[in-house]
Amino acid sequence: MRAVTRLPARSHSTGGTRGRLAIAALVLSVLARLLWMLLSPNGINVVDLHVYVNGAHELGTGHLYDFTYADKTPDFPLPFTYPPFAAVVFYPLHWLPFAAVAVGWTILTAAALYAVVRICLEMLVGPEDRTEHWRTRAAGWTAVGLWLEPVRTTLDYGQVNVFLVLAAVLAAYSTLWWLSGPLVGVAAGIKLTPAVTGLYFLTQRRWASAVWAAAVFAGTIAVSLLISPSETHTYFGPLIGDANRIGPVGSVWNQSLRGALSRILGRDAGAPWYLLGHRVPDGPWWVAAVLVAAVLAVLAWRAVGSADRLGTLLVVQFFGLLVSPISWSHHWVWVLPLMLWLLYGPLRAARGARALAGYWLVTTLVGVPWLLSFAQPSIWTISRPGILAWLGAVDVFGVLLFYVWLIRVRRPAVTPGPADLSRLPAPHPAG
């Protein structure tokens, strides 16, 4: 590990100028998104928000899971794929003008992203996060984060991902079991993927939070049963394991292990197969990959150490993204907290930390899955040229590199204090 030296403190005037420029960049980024939504022909499509709002309107009719939205996606009519509790939460929105909902959703998503950045920085540097210097960095990183592909597509689709990341980060930040547990339980009730945060509680030995999260999640199911028992049974019965209903597994937008392997193999890597004459529901390549990912995740978690709450949370969340049958590119909002951890966390001085942060910054600013989507003949076609298949595993490779790097580097015996962070770059216009 090389030592990190402290540079002379910046002048107040310089810091104030940079702070104003960072805030201006953030405001302009939000305004640009709003103008794109309001003025471009397809800007207010936000197709997933349509699914949330219009689909929730079907709650209790018995047709919630028959609903599809195809106005803007004729090649793939979008079904309501979320737990029935999500319909309970979104149901009131159908009473409001949709344009107002879309604009408000965009503004709230940007605010939630800023909150994610601020909380992550406070987990890394402590109370110093509340100084003007760190508020400037938070504003700058939020401005950049709005243009990373996971957030960009989240805003394009009107997705809920940033809010779910915020719930998980808050749950990790808070030491109150009666707050952390319900945050995760409610988030999992809206969309199952945040349930992986329960593993974080277990790694931290936060037993009360884990139990409370499970209890609140069970409560969301109970509420759904009271409101619409048939639809609740449908979701947690025949639909719960049907990945193909969620979308095309082999599309380049699916950045999970299953998606990457499927494109490389030219067929669905999770398709059923037969062993000794018995039908096995999941493909051998995918099962093997999940096992390898699990081993690497455990070793990476041990390398991070339980004292590093954000580092542990990231190891868990990326494991969830890898092993989920479908992890759309807009699910990968976690790359922004990862970049913050790499640049400002306890391993920031380790060789390769900045290179890894740069890998994620470049690939998500460019939007590799977005670029490759123009080369796939359709979202349903799995087979493609090898170079496109391997490039389409960009996020999977990034996580595996992150795990292997953690295992090799491990946590330093002595962690530099927060004051030593003055040399590290901040993405503000003056920097």
Side-chain angles (χ1 to χ4, degrees):
M1 304 291 174
R2 61 178 178 82
V4 178
T5 57
R6 186 185 306 177
L7 293 182
R10 297 175 175 84
S11 68
H12 177 74
S13 60
T14 302
T17 300
R18 289 183 170 181
R20 287 190 291 272
L21 287 172
I23 293 171
L26 176 55
V27 171
L28 287 174
S29 291
V30 175
L31 286 176
R33 291 298 319 189
L34 291 173
L35 288 174
W36 170 264
M37 173 180 287
L38 296 173
L39 300 180
S40 67
N42 299 314
I44 206 162
N45 280 357
V46 285
V47 291
D48 285 330
L49 188 58
H50 275 289
V51 173
Y52 295 149
V53 176
N54 299 344
H57 186 235
E58 301 295 321
L59 178 67
T61 65
H63 300 290
L64 177 62
Y65 294 106
D66 297 323
F67 167 85
T68 58
Y69 177 77
D71 292 5
K72 305 295 182 182
T73 56
D75 56 336
F76 177 39
L78 299 173
F80 191 90
T81 60
Y82 312 95
F85 184 73
V88 176
V89 172
F90 290 115
Y91 186 84
L93 295 181
H94 84 274
W95 287 317
L96 303 175
F98 186 81
V101 172
V103 170
W105 193 264
T106 299
I107 294 172
L108 288 174
T109 299
L113 188 68
Y114 177 74
V116 168
V117 173
R118 283 296 303 271
I119 294 168
C120 287
L121 288 176
E122 181 146 355
M123 292 174 75
L124 293 173
V125 304
E128 215 177 290
D129 164 72
R130 299 164 194 172
T131 63
E132 182 180 355
H133 173 65
W134 286 102
R135 288 197 299 269
T136 297
R137 294 193 178 212
W141 274 112
T142 306
V144 170
L146 289 170
W147 300 101
L148 302 179
E149 185 184 37
V151 181
R152 207 163 62 215
T153 51
T154 287
L155 292 169
D156 287 342
Y157 299 149
Q159 260 284 348
V160 73
N161 306 299
V162 175
F163 300 110
L164 300 180
V165 170
L166 176 58
V169 169
L170 274 171
Y173 174 74
S174 174
T175 58
L176 304 174
W177 60 267
W178 50 264
L179 175 62
S180 297
L183 279 170
V184 172
V186 170
I190 293 172
K191 194 171 184 177
L192 292 181
T193 49
V196 74
T197 311
L199 288 178
Y200 166 79
F201 291 145
L202 297 180
T203 63
Q204 296 294 101
R205 298 185 178 182
R206 295 180 58 177
W207 314 122
S209 296
V211 170
W212 199 233
V216 171
F217 175 64
T220 66
I221 298 175
V223 169
S224 304
L225 281 169
L226 287 173
I227 294 175
S228 181
S230 64
E231 290 165 340
T232 303
H233 286 299
T234 297
Y235 179 82
F236 288 101
L239 298 185
I240 192 70
D242 187 2
N244 288 301
R245 184 179 182 274
I246 300 173
V249 171
S251 170
V252 73
W253 297 108
N254 180 17
Q255 286 293 300
S256 69
L257 274 172
R258 181 169 171 179
L261 283 171
S262 296
R263 291 186 293 274
I264 291 169
L265 295 173
R267 62 183 187 278
D268 184 358
W273 59 296
Y274 289 86
L275 178 65
L276 300 177
H278 297 283
R279 188 176 187 271
V280 181
D282 298 316
W285 285 102
W286 185 45
V287 171
V290 168
L291 291 175
V292 170
V295 171
L296 290 175
V298 170
L299 294 175
W301 159 63
R302 291 173 63 87
V304 168
S306 59
D308 185 350
R309 292 179 295 163
L310 182 57
T312 304
L313 180 66
L314 289 169
V315 169
V316 169
Q317 296 295 339
F318 280 112
F319 175 69
L321 287 169
L322 285 181
V323 303
S324 175
I326 290 183
S327 294
W328 301 126
S329 64
H330 55 75
H331 292 171
W332 291 72
V333 177
W334 286 102
V335 300
L336 180 55
L338 174 60
M339 285 188 284
L340 297 175
W341 184 87
L342 287 167
L343 292 175
Y344 308 122
L347 292 176
R348 60 187 175 274
R351 179 179 298 177
R354 292 191 183 189
L356 269 175
Y359 173 91
W360 285 108
L361 181 63
V362 170
T363 57
T364 54
L365 276 177
V366 170
V368 174
W370 170 74
L371 281 179
L372 294 175
S373 70
F374 294 103
Q376 62 182 4
S378 82
I379 59 175
W380 300 103
T381 302
I382 294 179
S383 183
R384 62 202 64 200
I387 184 63
L388 299 182
W390 287 96
L391 286 173
V394 59
D395 290 348
V396 170
F397 289 145
V399 175
L400 297 179
L401 283 171
F402 171 54
Y403 282 171
V404 171
W405 175 80
L406 274 177
I407 295 164
R408 288 178 59 85
V409 173
R410 302 185 66 85
R411 186 183 178 90
V414 178
T415 302
D420 290 339
L421 298 173
S422 57
R423 287 188 62 185
L424 294 173
H428 45 66

